[in-house]
Amino acid sequence: MSYNIIETRNLVPDVNLLKVEAPDIAKAAKAGQFVILRIDESGERIPLTIADFDADEGSITVIYQVMGKTTRQLTTLKTGETLRDFVGPLGTPSDIRKLGTVVMVGGGVGVAPVYPQARAYRGAGNHVISIIGARNEEMLILEEEMAEVSDELYVATDDGSKGHHGFVTDIVKDILDSDQQVDRIVIIGPPIMMKVGAGVTAPYGVETLVSLNPIMIDGTGMCGGCRVSVGGETKFACVDGPEFDASGVDFDLMMSRLSIYRPQEKEALESYNKKCGGDCKCH
């Protein structure tokens, strides 16, 4: 079985959107879950968090950053072409319920998985405050979409080209220092950003959740590649997560594990670029 590509487009430099026809997945998907895709028979399996789903259209949307060989190869695919495998929904859905005020924080490509959660939290009756950030204005994604599903939206850029000049965590701290009641904070983005965010919220005692992105292979808990340490216990992000209480996550261990295969990833990308020039679908 193959999966038709409905839409593919570039959002910002090295960040692309991919919409795939997958009606069974779209009917079952919930905010916080992910899929694993494979381009062709010899391709690697890569996990991508679901950025949007439409049961009526039968579509799943993912947003990915071009970093390695497979994501580079994904950019060569066009509307009407197919993926060999597209499996999901995987992972435990986010705990969406009425809490009161929920602060959603997305950094870089992390804004993509924040979007369906913000929509779901607001749909459950929460007051949703969203904070999105990027290195600069050019790298911001889904700003209009986030505004539509949020009661309040704040923007931060590292260089000050739009919104707050600084980090998303600066705005989180400002909100926590105000008189506003906050019942939950969800932070999704680069591991270092989530680590810093967890450190910022810890003194305030507000429940803080993060979505972890360790190395993953089968997505069913069998391989153990996605193991992370949470509260001193080993958890598998693919089945126990990907969402966890930030206060118990060993971010340093996760970041060290993420770099294990970096030499092989670099070699694979260099080989692909050398062979294809970035313009073909060979592997």
Short mmCIF file of all heavy atoms in Angstrom, two decimals, residues 81-141:
data_model
loop_
_atom_site.label_atom_id
_atom_site.label_comp_id
_atom_site.label_asym_id
_atom_site.label_seq_id
_atom_site.Cartn_x
_atom_site.Cartn_y
_atom_site.Cartn_z
N GLU A 81 2.59 12.30 -5.87
CA GLU A 81 3.50 11.18 -5.66
C GLU A 81 3.11 10.48 -4.35
O GLU A 81 2.18 10.89 -3.66
CB GLU A 81 4.95 11.66 -5.64
CG GLU A 81 5.40 12.21 -6.99
CD GLU A 81 6.89 12.52 -7.05
OE1 GLU A 81 7.34 13.36 -6.23
OE2 GLU A 81 7.58 11.93 -7.88
N THR A 82 3.82 9.41 -4.02
CA THR A 82 3.41 8.59 -2.88
C THR A 82 4.55 8.31 -1.91
O THR A 82 5.73 8.41 -2.26
CB THR A 82 2.85 7.24 -3.37
OG1 THR A 82 3.87 6.52 -4.07
CG2 THR A 82 1.64 7.43 -4.27
N LEU A 83 4.15 7.94 -0.69
CA LEU A 83 5.06 7.44 0.32
C LEU A 83 4.84 5.94 0.44
O LEU A 83 3.71 5.46 0.33
CB LEU A 83 4.80 8.11 1.67
CG LEU A 83 4.99 9.62 1.75
CD1 LEU A 83 4.48 10.13 3.09
CD2 LEU A 83 6.45 10.00 1.55
N ARG A 84 5.89 5.19 0.71
CA ARG A 84 5.77 3.74 0.85
C ARG A 84 5.01 3.36 2.11
O ARG A 84 4.12 2.50 2.09
CB ARG A 84 7.17 3.09 0.86
CG ARG A 84 7.17 1.60 1.12
CD ARG A 84 6.45 0.86 0.02
NE ARG A 84 6.42 -0.58 0.26
CZ ARG A 84 5.54 -1.20 1.05
NH1 ARG A 84 4.60 -0.49 1.67
NH2 ARG A 84 5.57 -2.51 1.20
N ASP A 85 5.34 3.99 3.24
CA ASP A 85 4.69 3.69 4.51
C ASP A 85 4.32 4.98 5.23
O ASP A 85 5.06 5.98 5.18
CB ASP A 85 5.61 2.87 5.43
CG ASP A 85 5.91 1.50 4.87
OD1 ASP A 85 4.97 0.82 4.43
OD2 ASP A 85 7.10 1.11 4.88
N PHE A 86 3.18 4.94 5.92
CA PHE A 86 2.72 6.07 6.70
C PHE A 86 1.87 5.48 7.82
O PHE A 86 0.70 5.13 7.63
CB PHE A 86 1.90 7.01 5.82
CG PHE A 86 1.73 8.39 6.37
CD1 PHE A 86 2.75 9.33 6.30
CD2 PHE A 86 0.52 8.78 6.94
CE1 PHE A 86 2.58 10.62 6.80
CE2 PHE A 86 0.34 10.06 7.44
CZ PHE A 86 1.37 10.99 7.36
N VAL A 87 2.48 5.32 9.00
CA VAL A 87 1.87 4.53 10.07
C VAL A 87 1.47 5.42 11.24
O VAL A 87 2.23 6.27 11.69
CB VAL A 87 2.85 3.45 10.56
CG1 VAL A 87 2.24 2.62 11.68
CG2 VAL A 87 3.26 2.54 9.41
N GLY A 88 0.28 5.18 11.78
CA GLY A 88 -0.17 5.94 12.93
C GLY A 88 -1.66 5.78 13.14
O GLY A 88 -2.30 4.98 12.45
N PRO A 89 -2.26 6.54 14.06
CA PRO A 89 -1.56 7.45 14.98
C PRO A 89 -0.85 6.67 16.08
O PRO A 89 -1.37 5.68 16.58
CB PRO A 89 -2.67 8.32 15.55
CG PRO A 89 -3.89 7.43 15.49
CD PRO A 89 -3.72 6.57 14.28
N LEU A 90 0.34 7.12 16.44
CA LEU A 90 1.16 6.47 17.45
C LEU A 90 1.32 7.39 18.66
O LEU A 90 1.16 8.61 18.56
CB LEU A 90 2.53 6.11 16.87
CG LEU A 90 2.53 5.16 15.68
CD1 LEU A 90 3.90 5.09 15.05
CD2 LEU A 90 2.06 3.77 16.09
N GLY A 91 1.67 6.79 19.79
CA GLY A 91 1.87 7.57 21.00
C GLY A 91 0.59 7.80 21.77
O GLY A 91 -0.52 7.57 21.27
N THR A 92 0.74 8.25 23.01
CA THR A 92 -0.40 8.55 23.86
C THR A 92 -0.90 9.96 23.58
O THR A 92 -0.10 10.90 23.59
CB THR A 92 0.02 8.45 25.35
OG1 THR A 92 0.50 7.13 25.61
CG2 THR A 92 -1.16 8.75 26.25
N PRO A 93 -2.19 10.14 23.31
CA PRO A 93 -2.70 11.49 23.04
C PRO A 93 -2.48 12.42 24.23
O PRO A 93 -2.36 11.97 25.38
CB PRO A 93 -4.20 11.25 22.81
CG PRO A 93 -4.33 9.80 22.47
CD PRO A 93 -3.23 9.11 23.22
N SER A 94 -2.44 13.69 23.96
CA SER A 94 -2.31 14.69 25.03
C SER A 94 -3.52 14.64 25.95
O SER A 94 -4.64 14.31 25.53
CB SER A 94 -2.17 16.09 24.43
OG SER A 94 -1.04 16.18 23.61
N ASP A 95 -3.29 14.97 27.20
CA ASP A 95 -4.35 14.98 28.21
C ASP A 95 -5.13 16.29 28.09
O ASP A 95 -4.86 17.26 28.78
CB ASP A 95 -3.72 14.84 29.60
CG ASP A 95 -4.71 15.06 30.73
OD1 ASP A 95 -5.88 14.66 30.56
OD2 ASP A 95 -4.33 15.64 31.76
N ILE A 96 -6.08 16.30 27.18
CA ILE A 96 -6.85 17.51 26.91
C ILE A 96 -8.14 17.49 27.72
O ILE A 96 -8.97 16.59 27.57
CB ILE A 96 -7.20 17.63 25.41
CG1 ILE A 96 -5.93 17.52 24.55
CG2 ILE A 96 -7.95 18.93 25.14
CD1 ILE A 96 -4.97 18.66 24.66
N ARG A 97 -8.30 18.47 28.58
CA ARG A 97 -9.53 18.63 29.38
C ARG A 97 -9.60 20.07 29.87
O ARG A 97 -8.63 20.82 29.75
CB ARG A 97 -9.56 17.65 30.56
CG ARG A 97 -8.31 17.65 31.42
CD ARG A 97 -8.26 16.44 32.34
NE ARG A 97 -6.95 16.26 32.93
CZ ARG A 97 -6.56 16.77 34.09
NH1 ARG A 97 -7.41 17.52 34.79
NH2 ARG A 97 -5.35 16.54 34.56
N LYS A 98 -10.73 20.43 30.42
CA LYS A 98 -10.89 21.80 30.90
C LYS A 98 -10.15 21.98 32.21
O LYS A 98 -10.44 21.31 33.20
CB LYS A 98 -12.37 22.14 31.07
CG LYS A 98 -12.60 23.60 31.40
CD LYS A 98 -14.07 23.97 31.39
CE LYS A 98 -14.27 25.45 31.68
NZ LYS A 98 -15.70 25.84 31.65
N LEU A 99 -9.19 22.88 32.21
CA LEU A 99 -8.36 23.14 33.38
C LEU A 99 -8.48 24.58 33.87
O LEU A 99 -8.34 24.85 35.06
CB LEU A 99 -6.89 22.85 33.06
CG LEU A 99 -6.55 21.40 32.68
CD1 LEU A 99 -5.18 21.34 32.04
CD2 LEU A 99 -6.60 20.51 33.91
N GLY A 100 -8.67 25.48 32.93
CA GLY A 100 -8.73 26.90 33.26
C GLY A 100 -7.92 27.69 32.25
O GLY A 100 -8.36 27.94 31.14
N THR A 101 -6.69 28.02 32.63
CA THR A 101 -5.78 28.73 31.73
C THR A 101 -4.60 27.84 31.39
O THR A 101 -3.92 27.34 32.29
CB THR A 101 -5.28 30.04 32.36
OG1 THR A 101 -6.39 30.93 32.56
CG2 THR A 101 -4.26 30.73 31.46
N VAL A 102 -4.37 27.65 30.10
CA VAL A 102 -3.27 26.81 29.63
C VAL A 102 -2.34 27.67 28.78
O VAL A 102 -2.79 28.38 27.87
CB VAL A 102 -3.78 25.62 28.80
CG1 VAL A 102 -2.62 24.77 28.30
CG2 VAL A 102 -4.74 24.77 29.62
N VAL A 103 -1.05 27.62 29.08
CA VAL A 103 -0.05 28.35 28.30
C VAL A 103 0.65 27.36 27.38
O VAL A 103 1.25 26.38 27.83
CB VAL A 103 0.98 29.03 29.22
CG1 VAL A 103 2.07 29.71 28.39
CG2 VAL A 103 0.30 30.05 30.12
N MET A 104 0.56 27.61 26.07
CA MET A 104 1.19 26.76 25.06
C MET A 104 2.43 27.47 24.53
O MET A 104 2.36 28.62 24.11
CB MET A 104 0.22 26.51 23.91
CG MET A 104 -1.13 25.92 24.31
SD MET A 104 -1.00 24.27 25.03
CE MET A 104 -0.16 23.38 23.72
N VAL A 105 3.56 26.78 24.56
CA VAL A 105 4.83 27.38 24.16
C VAL A 105 5.46 26.55 23.05
O VAL A 105 5.71 25.35 23.22
CB VAL A 105 5.80 27.47 25.35
CG1 VAL A 105 7.06 28.23 24.95
CG2 VAL A 105 5.14 28.12 26.56
N GLY A 106 5.72 27.17 21.91
CA GLY A 106 6.34 26.47 20.79
C GLY A 106 7.56 27.20 20.29
O GLY A 106 7.52 28.42 20.06
N GLY A 107 8.65 26.48 20.13
CA GLY A 107 9.88 27.08 19.62
C GLY A 107 10.29 26.44 18.32
O GLY A 107 10.36 25.21 18.21
N GLY A 108 10.54 27.25 17.29
CA GLY A 108 10.96 26.72 16.00
C GLY A 108 9.89 25.81 15.41
O GLY A 108 8.70 26.13 15.38
N VAL A 109 10.31 24.62 14.96
CA VAL A 109 9.37 23.66 14.38
C VAL A 109 8.43 23.11 15.44
O VAL A 109 7.40 22.52 15.13
CB VAL A 109 10.15 22.51 13.67
CG1 VAL A 109 9.21 21.56 12.97
CG2 VAL A 109 11.12 23.08 12.65
N GLY A 110 8.76 23.30 16.72
CA GLY A 110 7.89 22.87 17.80
C GLY A 110 6.53 23.55 17.78
O GLY A 110 5.58 23.08 18.43
N VAL A 111 6.40 24.65 17.04
CA VAL A 111 5.09 25.30 16.90
C VAL A 111 4.11 24.37 16.21
O VAL A 111 2.90 24.40 16.49
CB VAL A 111 5.22 26.63 16.13
CG1 VAL A 111 3.85 27.28 15.92
CG2 VAL A 111 6.15 27.60 16.85
N ALA A 112 4.61 23.51 15.33
CA ALA A 112 3.72 22.61 14.57
C ALA A 112 2.92 21.67 15.49
O ALA A 112 1.70 21.61 15.37
CB ALA A 112 4.53 21.82 13.55
N PRO A 113 3.54 20.93 16.40
CA PRO A 113 2.75 20.08 17.30
C PRO A 113 1.99 20.87 18.36
O PRO A 113 1.02 20.35 18.94
CB PRO A 113 3.79 19.16 17.94
CG PRO A 113 5.09 19.87 17.81
CD PRO A 113 4.99 20.64 16.52
N VAL A 114 2.39 22.11 18.64
CA VAL A 114 1.66 22.94 19.59
C VAL A 114 0.29 23.32 19.01
O VAL A 114 -0.71 23.40 19.74
CB VAL A 114 2.47 24.22 19.94
CG1 VAL A 114 1.58 25.30 20.52
CG2 VAL A 114 3.56 23.87 20.95
N TYR A 115 0.24 23.54 17.70
CA TYR A 115 -0.99 24.01 17.07
C TYR A 115 -2.21 23.14 17.34
O TYR A 115 -3.24 23.64 17.84
CB TYR A 115 -0.76 24.20 15.57
CG TYR A 115 -2.03 24.44 14.79
CD1 TYR A 115 -2.75 25.63 14.94
CD2 TYR A 115 -2.52 23.49 13.92
CE1 TYR A 115 -3.92 25.84 14.24
CE2 TYR A 115 -3.69 23.69 13.21
CZ TYR A 115 -4.40 24.87 13.37
OH TYR A 115 -5.56 25.08 12.69
N PRO A 116 -2.18 21.82 17.06
CA PRO A 116 -3.39 21.02 17.33
C PRO A 116 -3.73 20.92 18.80
O PRO A 116 -4.90 20.80 19.17
CB PRO A 116 -3.04 19.64 16.75
CG PRO A 116 -1.55 19.59 16.70
CD PRO A 116 -1.12 21.01 16.44
N GLN A 117 -2.72 21.01 19.67
CA GLN A 117 -3.00 20.98 21.10
C GLN A 117 -3.70 22.28 21.54
O GLN A 117 -4.66 22.24 22.32
CB GLN A 117 -1.71 20.79 21.90
CG GLN A 117 -1.12 19.40 21.81
CD GLN A 117 -0.17 19.13 22.97
OE1 GLN A 117 -0.43 19.50 24.10
NE2 GLN A 117 0.93 18.46 22.68
N ALA A 118 -3.20 23.42 21.06
CA ALA A 118 -3.84 24.69 21.41
C ALA A 118 -5.29 24.69 20.96
O ALA A 118 -6.19 25.13 21.70
CB ALA A 118 -3.07 25.85 20.76
N ARG A 119 -5.53 24.19 19.77
CA ARG A 119 -6.90 24.11 19.25
C ARG A 119 -7.76 23.22 20.13
O ARG A 119 -8.92 23.56 20.44
CB ARG A 119 -6.86 23.58 17.82
CG ARG A 119 -8.22 23.45 17.15
CD ARG A 119 -8.07 23.03 15.71
NE ARG A 119 -7.41 21.73 15.59
CZ ARG A 119 -7.00 21.20 14.44
NH1 ARG A 119 -7.16 21.87 13.31
NH2 ARG A 119 -6.42 20.02 14.41
N ALA A 120 -7.22 22.09 20.54
CA ALA A 120 -7.98 21.14 21.37
C ALA A 120 -8.24 21.69 22.77
O ALA A 120 -9.34 21.53 23.31
CB ALA A 120 -7.23 19.82 21.44
N TYR A 121 -7.23 22.32 23.37
CA TYR A 121 -7.42 22.90 24.71
C TYR A 121 -8.48 23.99 24.68
O TYR A 121 -9.32 24.07 25.58
CB TYR A 121 -6.10 23.47 25.23
CG TYR A 121 -5.21 22.48 25.92
CD1 TYR A 121 -3.99 22.09 25.37
CD2 TYR A 121 -5.57 21.92 27.15
CE1 TYR A 121 -3.16 21.18 26.01
CE2 TYR A 121 -4.75 21.02 27.80
CZ TYR A 121 -3.54 20.64 27.22
OH TYR A 121 -2.73 19.73 27.86
N ARG A 122 -8.46 24.80 23.65
CA ARG A 122 -9.46 25.86 23.56
C ARG A 122 -10.84 25.27 23.32
O ARG A 122 -11.84 25.73 23.88
CB ARG A 122 -9.10 26.84 22.44
CG ARG A 122 -9.85 28.16 22.54
CD ARG A 122 -9.46 29.08 21.43
NE ARG A 122 -9.95 30.43 21.65
CZ ARG A 122 -10.11 31.31 20.67
NH1 ARG A 122 -9.83 30.98 19.41
NH2 ARG A 122 -10.56 32.52 20.92
N GLY A 123 -10.89 24.21 22.50
CA GLY A 123 -12.16 23.54 22.25
C GLY A 123 -12.74 22.91 23.50
O GLY A 123 -13.95 22.72 23.61
N ALA A 124 -11.87 22.58 24.46
CA ALA A 124 -12.32 21.98 25.73
C ALA A 124 -12.75 23.04 26.73
O ALA A 124 -13.11 22.72 27.86
CB ALA A 124 -11.21 21.12 26.33
N GLY A 125 -12.68 24.33 26.34
CA GLY A 125 -13.15 25.40 27.20
C GLY A 125 -12.10 26.13 27.99
O GLY A 125 -12.42 26.90 28.90
N ASN A 126 -10.83 25.93 27.66
CA ASN A 126 -9.75 26.60 28.36
C ASN A 126 -9.45 27.98 27.76
O ASN A 126 -9.71 28.23 26.58
CB ASN A 126 -8.47 25.75 28.31
CG ASN A 126 -8.61 24.45 29.05
OD1 ASN A 126 -8.59 24.43 30.27
ND2 ASN A 126 -8.76 23.35 28.32
N HIS A 127 -8.88 28.84 28.58
CA HIS A 127 -8.32 30.10 28.09
C HIS A 127 -6.89 29.78 27.66
O HIS A 127 -6.06 29.40 28.49
CB HIS A 127 -8.32 31.15 29.21
CG HIS A 127 -7.77 32.48 28.77
ND1 HIS A 127 -8.52 33.42 28.11
CD2 HIS A 127 -6.52 33.01 28.89
CE1 HIS A 127 -7.78 34.47 27.85
NE2 HIS A 127 -6.55 34.25 28.31
N VAL A 128 -6.63 29.92 26.38
CA VAL A 128 -5.33 29.50 25.83
C VAL A 128 -4.45 30.71 25.54
O VAL A 128 -4.82 31.59 24.75
CB VAL A 128 -5.52 28.67 24.55
CG1 VAL A 128 -4.17 28.36 23.91
CG2 VAL A 128 -6.27 27.37 24.86
N ILE A 129 -3.30 30.73 26.19
CA ILE A 129 -2.27 31.75 25.93
C ILE A 129 -1.14 31.04 25.18
O ILE A 129 -0.55 30.09 25.70
CB ILE A 129 -1.72 32.34 27.23
CG1 ILE A 129 -2.84 32.97 28.06
CG2 ILE A 129 -0.65 33.38 26.93
CD1 ILE A 129 -2.39 33.44 29.44
N SER A 130 -0.87 31.48 23.96
CA SER A 130 0.17 30.83 23.16
C SER A 130 1.37 31.76 23.00
O SER A 130 1.22 32.97 22.83
CB SER A 130 -0.36 30.44 21.78
OG SER A 130 -1.37 29.45 21.90
N ILE A 131 2.54 31.14 23.06
CA ILE A 131 3.80 31.86 22.87
C ILE A 131 4.59 31.09 21.83
O ILE A 131 4.88 29.91 22.01
CB ILE A 131 4.61 31.94 24.18
CG1 ILE A 131 3.76 32.50 25.32
CG2 ILE A 131 5.86 32.79 23.98
CD1 ILE A 131 4.38 32.29 26.69
N ILE A 132 4.92 31.73 20.72
CA ILE A 132 5.70 31.07 19.69
C ILE A 132 6.97 31.86 19.43
O ILE A 132 6.99 33.09 19.58
CB ILE A 132 4.91 30.89 18.38
CG1 ILE A 132 4.51 32.24 17.77
CG2 ILE A 132 3.67 30.03 18.63
CD1 ILE A 132 3.86 32.12 16.39
N GLY A 133 8.03 31.15 19.05
CA GLY A 133 9.30 31.83 18.85
C GLY A 133 10.15 31.19 17.78
O GLY A 133 9.92 30.05 17.37
N ALA A 134 11.13 31.95 17.33
CA ALA A 134 12.07 31.47 16.32
C ALA A 134 13.31 32.36 16.38
O ALA A 134 13.34 33.36 17.12
CB ALA A 134 11.46 31.51 14.92
N ARG A 135 14.32 31.98 15.60
CA ARG A 135 15.55 32.78 15.59
C ARG A 135 15.28 34.20 15.10
O ARG A 135 15.84 35.17 15.58
CB ARG A 135 16.61 32.12 14.72
CG ARG A 135 17.13 30.80 15.25
CD ARG A 135 18.42 30.40 14.57
NE ARG A 135 18.32 30.40 13.12
CZ ARG A 135 17.91 29.35 12.40
NH1 ARG A 135 17.57 28.24 13.01
NH2 ARG A 135 17.85 29.41 11.08
N ASN A 136 14.41 34.31 14.07
CA ASN A 136 14.08 35.61 13.51
C ASN A 136 12.69 35.54 12.86
O ASN A 136 12.08 34.47 12.80
CB ASN A 136 15.13 36.06 12.48
CG ASN A 136 15.39 34.98 11.43
OD1 ASN A 136 14.47 34.50 10.79
ND2 ASN A 136 16.66 34.60 11.27
N GLU A 137 12.19 36.67 12.40
CA GLU A 137 10.85 36.73 11.83
C GLU A 137 10.70 35.79 10.64
O GLU A 137 9.65 35.16 10.45
CB GLU A 137 10.53 38.16 11.40
CG GLU A 137 9.13 38.33 10.84
CD GLU A 137 8.82 39.77 10.47
OE1 GLU A 137 9.73 40.63 10.57
OE2 GLU A 137 7.66 40.05 10.11
N GLU A 138 11.75 35.66 9.84
CA GLU A 138 11.70 34.82 8.64
C GLU A 138 11.44 33.35 8.98
O GLU A 138 10.88 32.61 8.17
CB GLU A 138 13.02 34.95 7.86
CG GLU A 138 13.03 34.19 6.54
CD GLU A 138 14.38 34.23 5.86
OE1 GLU A 138 15.40 34.45 6.54
OE2 GLU A 138 14.42 34.02 4.63
N MET A 139 11.83 32.92 10.19
CA MET A 139 11.72 31.51 10.55
C MET A 139 10.45 31.18 11.33
O MET A 139 10.23 30.04 11.71
CB MET A 139 12.95 31.09 11.37
CG MET A 139 14.27 31.17 10.61
SD MET A 139 14.27 30.13 9.13
CE MET A 139 14.15 28.50 9.86
N LEU A 140 9.59 32.17 11.59
CA LEU A 140 8.34 31.92 12.32
C LEU A 140 7.37 31.13 11.45
O LEU A 140 7.19 31.44 10.27
CB LEU A 140 7.69 33.24 12.72
CG LEU A 140 8.27 33.96 13.94
CD1 LEU A 140 7.68 35.37 14.02
CD2 LEU A 140 7.98 33.19 15.23
N ILE A 141 6.73 30.13 12.03
CA ILE A 141 5.73 29.36 11.29
C ILE A 141 4.38 29.38 12.01
O ILE A 141 4.32 29.54 13.23
CB ILE A 141 6.18 27.89 11.07
CG1 ILE A 141 6.28 27.14 12.41
CG2 ILE A 141 7.47 27.82 10.30
CD1 ILE A 141 6.48 25.63 12.26
#
